[in-house]
Amino acid sequence: MYSRVAGEEGKSSIMYDSSPNSYHGMAHLGTCCSGTGTIHLALHKPTDTMVVVKKFYIDDRTPEDYNLVEREIIVTRQLQHPNVLPYLATFVSGHSVCVVSPPMGFGSCQDLIEEHFPVGLPEVAVAFILKDVLQGLEYIHKRGFVHRAIKASHILISSMGQACLSGMRYACEIVKNGRWQKNIYCFPSSTANNLKWLSPELLLQDLHGYNEKSDIYSLGITICELANGVAPFTGVPATLMLTEKVRGRAPHIIDCKLPKHAEHENTNDGDAGSSNSTLAAIGESILEHFSSRKFSESFHSITVQCLHRDPSNRPSTSQLSSHPFFKQCRKSDETVVDIFKSVPKIGRRDVDSAGDYGVAMSAEQLANLDLQSCHWDF
């Protein structure tokens, strides 16, 4: 089976096949999906292009893990948008599933924060990333899905500076039996890794249900994560976090104006309580940095709008895309690539750093994967 995908410049296309013999493991990059899979840099031999191969070991996982992996592949392969991470090919072998995707040169936003921007990304970088994410999210919503897992680790940045959404394993349909549902009542089968980002109405599981506006709330939490370098509610017990969300205590992006914004949060039906949980997760030295930096009013504004307790008061993706916050993207002399110029890109440098042992291990894990019959339907 072959999959045709547009090239990075959009001018040509490359055929990726589902034969394991077409891929040569180059380096082990890490784990993914809470340890249910490993990530490898590989060479697609027919085209001499670098790809990323995620390998999921299903044999020692629970049925829930199995269903999530299957769900992610099925949903992702229904989507085709520049700001949604594509799956170029998939193949199975015994109890393992391999998924091929393009290499995202700068990794995830979570990787960028942890390794290079511990106090959060620059505002203009957040603007560029958020602009792309909104385009991808709007497409996902129009295709009839609620993402339900918007967060920094599910936003990947290509070597060209383009942001792509991933994490479709947690998505659910808005359309049922051919009809668009006003509200959804199904609760995600796995929420442990996403609780901090989920909207209050989704967590409540009451008769009001939730809809695509729950993703807007998650986007607001992600904005705080990108700007502050730490996700809101980090270290907060789940019950307390739920209480704060239900009461409308929304997090904030933290700068020298935090006290002012916290005091005047009545428009969001909340107060400064939830900001304390974020501050508690940040060291004293970093807090000094925050007290000297200043974000724009539009940055604070878009964050507040996303985090309204009442989902009907949150803007849609298209309304957010026209927010004044994004004017700086047109005015900026920098691009995402310029901002991240000091960040080494994922690619052949990983092959060099892996050494002979790393390459051998990765090659061994990808070699001899004979296609076998399987009831997976991709």
Coordinates of all heavy atoms in Angstrom, one line a residue, residues 3-16 80-82 86 88 102 162:
S3 N 1.1 5.6 0.1 CA 0.4 6.8 0.5 C 1.1 8.0 -0.2 O 2.3 8.2 0.0 CB 0.4 7.0 2.0 OG -0.1 8.2 2.4
R4 N 0.4 8.8 -0.9 CA 1.0 10.0 -1.6 C 0.8 11.2 -0.7 O -0.3 11.6 -0.3 CB 0.3 10.2 -2.9 CG 0.9 11.4 -3.7 CD 0.2 11.5 -5.1 NE 0.4 10.4 -5.9 CZ 1.5 10.2 -6.7 NH1 2.4 11.2 -6.8 NH2 1.6 9.2 -7.5
V5 N 1.9 11.9 -0.4 CA 1.9 13.0 0.5 C 2.6 14.2 -0.1 O 3.7 14.0 -0.7 CB 2.5 12.7 1.9 CG1 2.5 13.9 2.8 CG2 1.7 11.6 2.5
A6 N 2.1 15.4 -0.1 CA 2.8 16.5 -0.6 C 4.1 16.8 0.1 O 4.2 16.6 1.3 CB 1.9 17.8 -0.5
G7 N 5.1 17.2 -0.7 CA 6.4 17.6 -0.2 C 6.3 18.8 0.7 O 5.3 19.5 0.7
E8 N 7.4 19.1 1.4 CA 7.4 20.2 2.4 C 7.2 21.5 1.7 O 6.6 22.4 2.3 CB 8.8 20.2 3.1 CG 8.8 21.0 4.3 CD 9.9 20.8 5.2 OE1 11.0 20.3 4.7 OE2 9.9 21.1 6.4
E9 N 7.6 21.6 0.5 CA 7.4 22.9 -0.2 C 6.0 22.9 -0.9 O 5.6 24.0 -1.5 CB 8.5 23.1 -1.3 CG 9.9 23.2 -0.7 CD 10.1 24.3 0.2 OE1 9.4 25.4 0.0 OE2 10.9 24.3 1.2
G10 N 5.3 21.8 -0.9 CA 4.0 21.7 -1.5 C 4.1 21.6 -3.0 O 3.1 21.8 -3.7
K11 N 5.2 21.5 -3.6 CA 5.4 21.4 -5.1 C 5.5 20.0 -5.6 O 5.3 19.8 -6.8 CB 6.6 22.2 -5.5 CG 6.6 23.7 -5.1 CD 7.9 24.4 -5.4 CE 7.9 25.9 -5.0 NZ 9.1 26.6 -5.3
S12 N 5.8 19.1 -4.8 CA 5.9 17.7 -5.3 C 5.3 16.7 -4.3 O 4.9 17.1 -3.2 CB 7.4 17.4 -5.5 OG 8.1 17.5 -4.3
S13 N 5.3 15.5 -4.6 CA 4.7 14.5 -3.7 C 5.6 13.3 -3.7 O 6.4 13.0 -4.6 CB 3.3 14.0 -4.2 OG 3.4 13.5 -5.5
I14 N 5.5 12.6 -2.5 CA 6.4 11.4 -2.3 C 5.5 10.3 -1.9 O 4.5 10.4 -1.2 CB 7.3 11.7 -1.1 CG1 8.3 12.8 -1.5 CG2 8.1 10.5 -0.7 CD1 9.2 13.2 -0.3
M15 N 5.8 9.1 -2.4 CA 5.1 7.9 -2.2 C 5.7 7.1 -1.0 O 6.9 6.8 -1.0 CB 5.0 7.0 -3.4 CG 4.4 7.7 -4.6 SD 2.6 7.9 -4.4 CE 2.0 6.3 -4.5
Y16 N 4.9 6.9 0.0 CA 5.4 6.1 1.2 C 4.6 4.8 1.2 O 3.4 4.8 1.2 CB 5.2 6.9 2.5 CG 6.1 8.1 2.6 CD1 5.6 9.3 2.2 CD2 7.4 8.0 3.1 CE1 6.4 10.5 2.3 CE2 8.2 9.1 3.2 CZ 7.7 10.4 2.7 OH 8.5 11.5 2.8
Q80 N -6.7 15.5 6.5 CA -5.6 16.0 5.6 C -5.6 17.5 5.6 O -6.4 18.2 5.0 CB -5.8 15.5 4.2 CG -4.6 15.8 3.3 CD -4.7 15.1 1.9 OE1 -5.7 14.3 1.7 NE2 -3.8 15.4 1.0
H81 N -4.7 18.1 6.4 CA -4.6 19.5 6.6 C -3.1 19.9 6.9 O -2.5 19.1 7.6 CB -5.5 20.0 7.7 CG -5.6 21.5 7.8 ND1 -4.8 22.3 8.5 CD2 -6.5 22.4 7.2 CE1 -5.1 23.6 8.4 NE2 -6.2 23.6 7.6
P82 N -2.6 21.0 6.5 CA -1.2 21.3 6.7 C -0.9 21.5 8.2 O 0.3 21.3 8.6 CB -1.0 22.7 6.0 CG -2.1 22.7 5.0 CD -3.3 22.0 5.5
P86 N 0.2 14.3 9.7 CA -0.3 13.2 8.9 C 0.4 11.9 9.2 O 1.5 11.9 9.8 CB 0.0 13.6 7.4 CG 1.3 14.4 7.6 CD 1.2 15.1 8.9
L88 N 1.8 8.9 7.2 CA 2.2 8.6 5.9 C 2.0 7.1 5.5 O 1.7 6.8 4.3 CB 3.7 8.9 5.6 CG 4.1 10.3 6.1 CD1 5.6 10.5 5.9 CD2 3.3 11.4 5.4
P102 N 6.0 12.4 9.1 CA 7.1 13.2 8.7 C 7.9 13.6 10.0 O 7.3 13.8 11.1 CB 6.5 14.4 8.0 CG 5.1 14.4 8.5 CD 4.7 13.0 8.8
Q162 N 6.3 25.3 11.0 CA 4.9 25.1 10.9 C 4.4 24.3 12.1 O 5.0 23.2 12.3 CB 4.5 24.5 9.6 CG 3.1 24.2 9.4 CD 2.7 23.7 8.0 OE1 2.7 24.5 7.1 NE2 2.6 22.4 7.8

